Amino acid sequence: MNKVLLFVTFIGLTAFLACKNAPNANSTDPNAPSGPIEHANPTNLAGHWITIDFCSRAASRNSILKAMNTEGAHLPYAYAFSFNPEKMDSVTCYNGVETYKLAARINLDTIELKDARQGRSVFLVYLPQTKEMELFDATTGSAHIDRLIKSSSDAPGGDNAFAVALNHHLFEGNYAPVDKKVDKFTQFTPTGYITNFPDYDRYMPCVGGDCFLLSDKMDVMTVANSKDPKSLKMFGFRFSTAGDTLTLYNMTTSATEKAATLGGVAYRFTRKKVAENAAPKPAQQPQQPNNGK
């Protein structure tokens, strides 16, 4: 019965999206497409598609964990989906832990990704009018829809493209130590750089897997100094409710368990936010601290 209900739900969703994308001859919308509708094809699908709703939710709640776990939130099936125009029979997915491929079947604007979870499919629906996509996932018993956009970053790989978007929404901005005047602000960039910071110049927030060493108590990031491969260090981090203060906390990692104990404050910054309408900057590959490079 559940399978039938989920199938009927998907059919209804597909019909709704089809109606939403159908051209309206009487439309007065100046942004409405004037020519023929261009449906999903290798050219317009090629690239990395990221779950922008999750990035926006993390920014509004000032937390990756809260974007996953608080009421009304959910963890999307994957953070990024990558299409290779020469191999359209599969799609590369990134879920915050690993990158893997799923077999794909395209029917007009609907892309079925087979065996996504326990033999069930998830579906991507391309929206010709907005040139966005929607992810439909009913593999867990609850149906979720996530909005996806094609990344404008030149970062290679869906994992890096997603990192650029998330960092832009959650971290990007100018920071200064609390109650201390400085000549230059510390900056967190979308590509994973930290500038004008005394000890580290790379950062990478945890988005999934074993790096959540503080469980659901606090978000975690890894930082590093690119000149010292042994400089990797993890901090718990927390933004204030208003998002204008960022505090990094020391962590003591367990030698026997994948867990850590929260310590005292290591750094505390006040933040001057980037303008809300600022677009993510074109970026090279995010400089992630996992290899010290």
Side-chain angles (χ1 to χ4, degrees), residues 126-245:
Y126 178 72
L127 308 176
Q129 287 187 318
T130 61
K131 297 182 180 179
E132 297 180 350
M133 273 202 277
E134 289 185 343
L135 164 66
F136 179 78
D137 177 14
T139 60
T140 61
S142 299
H144 295 295
I145 298 176
D146 291 277
R147 184 170 65 98
L148 282 73
I149 63 169
K150 185 189 286 191
S151 172
S152 60
S153 165
D154 60 1
D159 54 344
N160 292 318
F162 172 74
V164 169
L166 179 66
N167 292 343
H168 164 70
H169 279 76
L170 186 56
F171 288 100
E172 184 179 9
N174 297 324
Y175 296 77
V178 172
D179 299 326
K180 182 178 179 181
K181 291 185 178 180
V182 293
D183 294 330
K184 293 182 179 180
F185 288 117
T186 295
Q187 292 183 318
F188 285 73
T189 73
T191 50
Y193 284 95
I194 314 174
T195 64
N196 301 318
F197 191 66
D199 301 311
Y200 306 103
D201 59 9
R202 302 288 188 270
Y203 77 100
M204 182 174 64
C206 176
V207 296
D210 294 340
C211 53
F212 281 120
L213 296 179
L214 297 172
S215 187
D216 60 353
K217 295 178 182 178
M218 189 178 293
D219 287 291
V220 173
M221 71 163 64
T222 301
V223 298
N225 187 319
S226 60
K227 297 179 181 179
D228 181 4
K230 298 180 180 180
S231 63
L232 284 165
K233 186 174 177 63
M234 300 182 79
F235 290 107
F237 76 85
R238 176 176 288 156
F239 283 99
S240 61
T241 301
D244 55 1
T245 302

